[in-house]
């Protein structure tokens, strides 16, 4: 952080005691906010990738001829769609977390193989993944049967036509809904505070618990950060949507 | 085509309800399928869900190590159940209904503001809508809970604002913003020819809106509105993070009162999940049904 | 497996029955097609002609009977579909091009992804095929940017890229504007003259008369009458054929 910015905020805190942007000039607090942003981004990106993978696999399984497999996928979707994500987090971390094997690096501590961050990633990925399954499913159903048939007539196997023909088309149709879901996922990462994952909200709460004078600045910062992040995602996805747009093909 | 303020611009409503995937029914008999898979295939979705949960609970039996067994934990859950339901879950429902009422009324005003003929009002309402739509619910809750005064004075009258009321306000903000988008999206989904036809019949703008446009799109607003109600209901346990005594907070208190055995966590959290599922799943089903019904007629 | 030689029928259809649920659309159809022959199947809509050629390509399965393509039995649960589809190319009424790929890519996709052929080689071949269907300069256009007739010719080139022995055409001009029908028919005629074995389902009677070696008239799931174009069109015997021809000609 350049010194003059730090000085500016230090001065601001002196002039206006309620606007103490301590996380812009105190190295410890700067570090805290940076690590919070790091964890939030890490959670968002890892969950984003995993949830898309879950969505693709789930949508593939839903097209399977085996009925009980389809029912299990449907059960999974309904479970994660119709229960609160914050309770899912607690359930995964506390109720399932107690069964994870532990290891002991020094003979005293018992550290579980899956940390709270790990459980947050698992829980949030499955949460967002449940929506992605339905999003991709709808996309796949939007590909006309005749296109699938043409692929079949050219000798494509089910797997190959899925990879080369159906998914690329379905993906384009799915993008707007996917966009919404990913924005929702990023917003939901804040709920990992329930299992003490040190993401940005957690760090900001810590800061204003330590320095009540930093409460308003930290809240303002949270808004700016999240709306900025959401804005970036929406912009990036819109650009991607335009790039993938097929000439002369109305999606 | 004539430009109609606030009408011809593009909408970005996220009607998040997706069409249910059409399952192609495979009816013919598989000679090699075992009776187990047949039994599985005949399970309904709800049964499937409960089955998975049961599997979780019983798997925990195998891991029970201390003297306190899962059976004890389940007994404890049965003792607490009426309390959790009456003092906890009903409170969540109450909050959700109150929030929906406030959020819908303010959201309609904000949404109509977004299609106002006054450019500045349109932009202001748009900005408010986007701000509250894109902020995380939990951040909004924190801000309202901590920054809102614990009492307000109106006409010399001191009205205390308890925590639960702050929570209601905090949750109302994103609902307001999303209802606003639903209203805007629905209004501009009506073809602009309708506006022109009404205008040619000498309707005023307000008359057109109330007597021609809104009656047409009212039905279309119901499914996304219900969808947001379900999302809201599932957001109510967030208030427990801020110490409001809802079902989640009480469940945690109950496990502590029972001696904090780890075996308690599985049945208690499972119970909370099941409560929400039983309440939200029918709403989701109904939403899908209505959506399909309305989408056919267009 | 009995090895197939060129003096045997290339496609041999024997007593084929096909139902969709309770509805029987093919009630015992038989025909033989020799190498290099051009066969036109005509008949009122719903008479099962499209279903028949889709069965040849195993897009629809049959309940009873036998279809031999170069000696390979199609009505066989263990059928090697890839092997069959290398031999049989198909062009659809609705073109069914892959909208996310350019004309050139549409032609190149299957040989690369399914047949695992060398990319450089197939690219050269794809340019030639597009030239053959007179679409030079349209290589990098997307299907959505092409007219119906142009799309249909890309679809023909796409099928030819698999180097098939037989081509199936399923009412390929039915969805086209009248003015673009001709450009597609010219392409098919050119193929026929080069000796490609073709089975066409069509409503273009003039075209059938000109290019076909044999005409089959189907109605309600059976072949009512067949013969070379000259005798078929001028000396039809069956009243149903006569009625159909009188309506259409």
């Amino acid at each position: 952080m350049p010194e003059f910015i730090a000085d500016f905020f230090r001065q601001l805190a002196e002039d206006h005691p309620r606007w103490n942007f301590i996380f812009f000039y105190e190295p410890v607090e700067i570090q805290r906010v940076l690590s919070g942003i790091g964890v939030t981004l890490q959670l968002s990106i890892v969950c984003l990738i995993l949830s898309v993978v879950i969505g693709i696999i789930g949508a593939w399984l839903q097209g399977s001829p085996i009925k009980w497999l389809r029912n299990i996928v449907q059960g999974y979707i309904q479970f994660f769609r119709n229960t609160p994500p914050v309770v899912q987090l607690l359930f995964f971390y506390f109720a399932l977390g107690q069964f994870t094997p532990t290891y002991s690096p020094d003979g005293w501590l018992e550290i579980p193989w899956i940390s709270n961050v790990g459980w947050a990633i698992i829980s949030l990925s499955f949460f967002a993944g449940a929506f992605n399954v339905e999003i991709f499913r709808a996309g796949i159903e939007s590909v006309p049967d005749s296109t699938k048939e043409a692929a079949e007539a050219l000798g494509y196997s089910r797997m190959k036509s899925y990879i080369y023909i159906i998914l690329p088309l379905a993906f384009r149709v799915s993008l707007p809904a996917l966009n919404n879901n990913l924005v929702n996922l990023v917003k939901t990462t804040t709920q990992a505070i329930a299992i003490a994952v040190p993401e940005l909200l957690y760090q900001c709460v810590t800061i204003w618990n330590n320095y009540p004078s930093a409460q308003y600045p930290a809240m303002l910062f949270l808004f700016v950060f999240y709306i900025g992040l959401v804005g970036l995602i929406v912009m990036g996805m819109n650009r991607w949507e335009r790039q993938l747009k097929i000439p002369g093909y109305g999606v | 085509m004539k430009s109609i303020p606030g009408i011809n611009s593009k909408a970005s409503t996220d009607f998040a309800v997706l069409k249910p995937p059409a399952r192609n029914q495979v009816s013919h008999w598989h000679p090699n399928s075992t009776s187990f898979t047949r039994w599985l295939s005949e399970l309904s979705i709800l049964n499937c869900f409960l089955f998975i949960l049961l599997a979780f609970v019983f798997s925990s039996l195998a891991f029970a190590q201390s003297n306190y067994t899962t059976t004890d934990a389940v007994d404890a859950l049965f003792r607490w159940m009426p309390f959790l339901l009456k003092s906890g879950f009903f409170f969540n429902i109450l909050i959700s209904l109150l929030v929906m009422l406030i959020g819908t009324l303010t959201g309609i005003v904000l949404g109509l503001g977004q299609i106002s003929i006054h450019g500045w009002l349109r932009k202001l309402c748009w900005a408010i809508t986007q701000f509250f739509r894109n902020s995380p619910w939990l951040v909004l809750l924190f801000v309202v809970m901590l920054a809102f005064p614990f009492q307000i004075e109106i006409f010399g009258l001191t009205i205390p604002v308890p925590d639960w009321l702050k929570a209601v306000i905090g949750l109302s903000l994103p609902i307001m913003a999303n209802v606003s988008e639903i209203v805007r999206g629905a209004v501009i989904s009506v073809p602009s020819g309708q506006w022109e036809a009404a205008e040619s019949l000498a309707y005023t703008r307000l008359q057109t809106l109330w007597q021609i446009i809104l009656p047409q799109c009212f039905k279309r607003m119901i499914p996304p509105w219900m969808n947001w109600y379900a999302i809201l209901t599932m957001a109510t346990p967030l208030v427990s993070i801020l110490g409001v005594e809802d079902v989640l907070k009480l469940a945690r208190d109950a496990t502590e009162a029972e001696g904090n055995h780890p075996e308690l966590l599985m049945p208690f959290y499972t119970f909370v999940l099941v409560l929400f599922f039983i309440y939200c799943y029918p709403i989701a089903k109904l939403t899908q049904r209505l959506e399909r019904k309305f989408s056919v007629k267009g | 497996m009995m090895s197939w030689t060129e003096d045997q029928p290339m496609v041999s259809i024997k007593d084929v029955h096909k139902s969709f649920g309770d509805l029987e659309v093919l009630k015992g159809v038989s025909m033989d097609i020799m190498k290099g022959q051009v066969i036109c199947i005509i008949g009122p809509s719903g008479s099962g002609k499209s279903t028949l050629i889709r069965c040849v390509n195993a897009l629809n399965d049959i309940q009873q009977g036998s279809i031999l393509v170069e000696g390979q039995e199609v009505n066989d649960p263990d059928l090697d579909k890839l092997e069959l589809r290398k031999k049989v190319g198909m062009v659809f009424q609705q073109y069914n091009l892959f909208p996310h790929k350019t004309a050139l890519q549409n032609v190149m996709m299957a040989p690369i992804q399914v047949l695992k052929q060398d990319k450089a080689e197939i690219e050269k071949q794809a340019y030639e095929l597009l030239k053959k269907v007179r679409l030079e300069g349209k290589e990098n256009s997307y299907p959505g940017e092409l007219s119906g007739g142009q799309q249909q010719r890309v679809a023909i080139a796409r099928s030819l890229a698999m180097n098939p022995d037989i081509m199936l055409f399923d009412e390929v001009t039915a969805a086209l504007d009248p003015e673009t029908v001709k450009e597609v028919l010219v392409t098919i005629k050119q193929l026929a003259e080069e000796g490609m074995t073709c089975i066409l389902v069509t409503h273009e009677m003039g075209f059938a008369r000109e290019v076909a070696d044999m005409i089959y008239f189907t109605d309600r799931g059976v072949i009512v009458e067949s013969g070379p174009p000259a005798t078929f069109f001028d000396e039809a015997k069956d009243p149903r054929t006569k009625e159909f021809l009188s309506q259409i000609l």
Side-chain angles (χ1 to χ4, degrees), chain A residues 147-202:
Chain A
T147 304
K148 296 175 194 167
E149 223 163 47
E152 208 188 328
L154 285 170
Y156 282 82
S157 61
R158 182 167 131 78
M159 184 65 135
K160 273 193 177 159
S161 69
Y162 200 76
I163 292 171
Y164 293 117
I165 318 285
I166 299 173
L167 266 188
L169 288 173
F171 190 69
R172 287 169 168 87
V173 179
S174 306
L175 263 183
L178 190 65
N179 192 352
N180 272 333
N181 191 30
L182 296 184
V183 166
N184 193 30
L185 170 66
V186 169
K187 291 195 288 180
T188 311
T189 58
T190 54
Q191 300 187 12
I193 196 178
I195 56 173
V197 171
E199 41 73 58
L200 186 61
L201 178 60
Y202 179 94

Side-chain angles (χ1 to χ4, degrees), chain B residues 31-238:
Chain B
N32 57 349
S33 63
T34 65
S35 58
F36 175 67
T37 55
R38 243 188 310 137
W39 171 75
L40 261 181
S41 71
E42 278 154 16
L43 283 176
S44 73
I45 301 308
L46 187 62
N47 285 339
C48 226
F49 162 78
L50 291 175
F51 172 75
I52 293 168
L53 274 183
L54 272 182
F56 274 141
V57 173
F58 281 111
S59 69
S60 70
L61 278 170
F63 284 89
Q65 284 162 350
S66 64
N67 292 332
Y68 195 90
T69 63
T70 306
T71 335
D72 295 330
V74 173
D75 282 345
L77 174 63
F78 276 109
R79 278 199 305 280
W80 284 95
M81 242 182 217
F83 174 71
L84 289 180
L85 204 60
K86 266 187 261 166
S87 307
F89 192 62
F90 283 162
F91 178 71
N92 286 63
I93 303 297
L94 200 68
I95 288 186
S96 72
L97 293 174
L98 209 55
V99 169
M100 207 60 199
L101 184 71
I102 297 172
T104 306
L105 293 179
T106 51
I108 290 174
V109 174
L110 193 63
L112 293 178
Q114 280 202 85
I115 50 167
S116 156
I117 31 171
H118 305 291
W120 60 271
L121 185 60
R122 222 163 48 226
K123 288 200 184 90
L124 179 70
C125 291
W126 176 83
I128 295 172
T129 303
Q130 292 305 321
F131 181 81
F132 288 117
R133 272 182 81 212
N134 291 321
S135 307
W137 295 51
L138 198 51
V139 171
L140 287 173
L141 264 180
F142 262 105
V143 170
V144 174
M145 295 299 272
L146 299 178
F148 211 76
F150 62 92
Q151 57 183 35
I152 44 174
E153 281 185 34
I154 301 173
F155 308 122
L157 221 72
T158 311
I159 303 165
V161 183
D163 272 356
W164 67 266
L165 190 56
K166 287 189 196 174
V168 167
I169 295 167
L171 290 172
S172 297
L173 294 172
I175 290 299
M176 169 185 79
N178 284 295
V179 169
S180 162
E181 268 308 85
I182 292 173
V183 170
R184 188 174 90 99
V187 169
I188 64 176
S189 75
V190 177
S192 58
Q194 293 286 316
W195 286 89
E196 283 161 12
E199 203 181 341
S200 72
L201 292 170
Y203 278 74
T204 65
R205 191 180 157 89
L206 208 60
Q207 278 176 325
T208 311
L209 192 63
W210 283 107
Q211 287 163 11
I212 314 281
I213 305 299
L214 285 181
Q216 286 189 49
C217 54
F218 176 70
K219 267 201 303 193
R220 240 175 286 182
M221 287 163 23
I222 293 175
W225 181 79
M226 282 173 59
N227 191 38
W228 275 106
Y229 176 66
I231 293 172
L232 161 68
T233 308
M234 290 185 281
T236 54
L238 288 179

Side-chain angles (χ1 to χ4, degrees), chain A residues 46-111:
Chain A
V46 175
C47 293
L48 199 145
I49 294 167
L50 284 179
S51 70
V52 168
V53 170
I54 291 172
I56 292 173
I57 296 174
W60 161 259
L61 289 178
Q62 275 211 322
S64 136
I66 307 161
K67 195 178 175 193
W68 62 266
L69 204 61
R70 289 205 307 268
N71 269 0
I72 285 181
V73 176
Q74 193 60 21
Y76 153 69
I77 294 169
Q78 296 309 337
F79 172 86
F80 279 91
R81 278 193 72 141
N82 294 300
T83 55
V86 65
V87 187
Q88 289 165 15
L89 274 163
L90 292 168
F91 180 82
F92 269 87
Y93 180 58
F94 287 115
L96 296 184
Q98 49 182 310
F99 306 123
T100 45
T102 55
Y103 68 100
S104 192
D106 53 3
W108 291 92
L109 272 171
E110 272 199 36
I111 301 169

